[in-house]
Amino acid sequence: MTVPTDQPMEVQAAILTFVEARTRTSWDPGADIFATGGLSSLFAMELVVHLEKTFGISIGGADMRLENFRTVDSMVGLVTRLGGNVSA
Amino acid sequence: MKTEPIAVLGAGVMGVGITTLLAGHGLPVRLVDNDPVKLAQAPGRIRRELRMAQLMGVLPPGREEGEVSLHGDLSAVRGARVVIEAITENADLKTAVLADVSALVPPATPLVSNTSSIPIDELADAVRHPADLIGTHFMNPPALIGTTEVIRGVRTGEATLEAVRGLLREVGRRPVVVRDAPGFVTSRLLHPMINDAARVVQEGTASAEDVDALMQGCLGHPTGPLRTADLIGIDNLVDSLWVLLKRTGDEGCRPCDLLLQKVADGHHGRKTGQGFYEYEESTR
Ligand SMILES: NC(=O)c1ccc[n+]([C@@H]2O[C@H](COP(=O)([O-])OP(=O)(O)OC[C@H]3O[C@@H](n4cnc5c(N)ncnc54)[C@H](O)[C@@H]3O)[C@@H](O)[C@H]2O)c1
């Protein structure tokens, strides 16, 4: 999949679709998806790998923090900051 | 002494997880497995678990990772500071490996078994110096679980216990020391409970998702028993239940048909991509 990261709304829609499919829940882009419990470190790791593959970015160092994956918006922020229009 | 590597035997779910914990705290590890496929997969799995530990903020910041080397032969235990055995849950396999190891290391080298259920004193018959043998029951994933059950066999020496306490302190785990018995505390309680949870699904009372949702939402279980089964590995869970049944006679430990079916189908949980749930390749 190729998703241009200079279009945050499309990035947001792509991430939201993935998160909603995996959690079978609909989410507000600003909601903390880990706060209500039940979502694990494994799911967090799945998000990391998914973002890397989908947007062709590599997440490492100080960016590997749960804070960056807590909300759809924080993920959009991370992807936008790290991304070019790369495909994977 | 402190810089000598720690030998970890078995590069399965737990061997990889324990290696992650040790290396993530800067300790060098020699990882040993007799299955070349498992050895070949290990570096990728360790890398993934290290990333997950980093993501969850559980590794000491700024510490250089310990070096991990891979070995197909038990002779790699020579010169190790501590040997941690995490091979398949089978008493015959474990006694054979522990006997070989105890012939390769000098006395007073702590030999640590990560068995889920086999009494430590039963394994102690196989080693040259039973005082050197002790149990630790790291759980999956070890880097994310802060407490470690430590099992002191009747013949376990004080020096061995102190060495293991010291090692656990180095890697930031809190030990809880218990007496030896089949399944100790955690497996004695958890394994029959998971077996019952699977039986509830087998009987059609509720789906796996609903059993886990109720155990999480009403009873405060962190992941739910069936997601836990997938994380443990259903093959290992069944092996462990047989060990418990044989040594306690408790029929609640007889693996239910649904668990046996999943093992027969190769649906061993997260490590095979399918168990009670399905798992993405990338996060196995
Ligand atoms: N999976 C868990 O959540 C969990 C938790 C606590 C304790 N344990 C215990 O830890 C131990 C390992 O469990 P696991 O889940 O990692 O099992 P696993 O099946 O994932 O891995 C076992 C590994 O041991 C290797 N092995 C078998 N015989 C060997 C030998 N003679 N020499 C070298 N390597 C050998 C196998 O090739 C395999 O890679 C078991 O005793 C288990 O009961 C497991």
Side-chain angles (χ1 to χ4, degrees), chain A residues 41 46 49 52 59 64 66, chain B residues 51 54-55 144 280 282-283:
Chain A
S41 46
E46 202 179 318
V49 175
E52 290 189 325
I59 304 169
M64 280 292 275
L66 191 58
Chain B
R51 290 190 83 198
Q54 195 194 355
L55 178 65
L144 295 184
E280 297 274 308
S282 58
T283 51

Side-chain angles (χ1 to χ4, degrees), chain B residues 8-18 32-39 41 45 71-74 85-90 93-94 96-97 100 113-118 136-142 184 186-187 190-191 228-237 239-240 243 268 271:
Chain B
V8 174
L9 312 182
V13 171
M14 292 311 294
V16 160
I18 293 165
V32 184
D33 203 297
N34 60 3
D35 178 347
V37 176
K38 289 298 185 77
L39 267 190
Q41 291 170 341
R45 291 189 173 208
H71 306 265
D73 192 279
L74 264 192
E85 173 277 307
I87 70 164
T88 314
E89 184 76 353
N90 173 303
L93 285 179
K94 284 191 193 286
V97 162
D100 289 350
S113 176
N114 195 57
T115 176
S116 301
S117 297
I118 304 168
T136 59
H137 192 193
F138 287 105
M139 290 194 203
N140 189 24
F184 331 116
T186 50
S187 301
L190 179 67
H191 287 32
T228 302
D230 279 359
L231 196 55
I232 291 174
I234 299 174
D235 53 340
N236 174 241
L237 177 68
D239 284 347
S240 214
V243 167
H268 296 177
K271 63 184 168 187

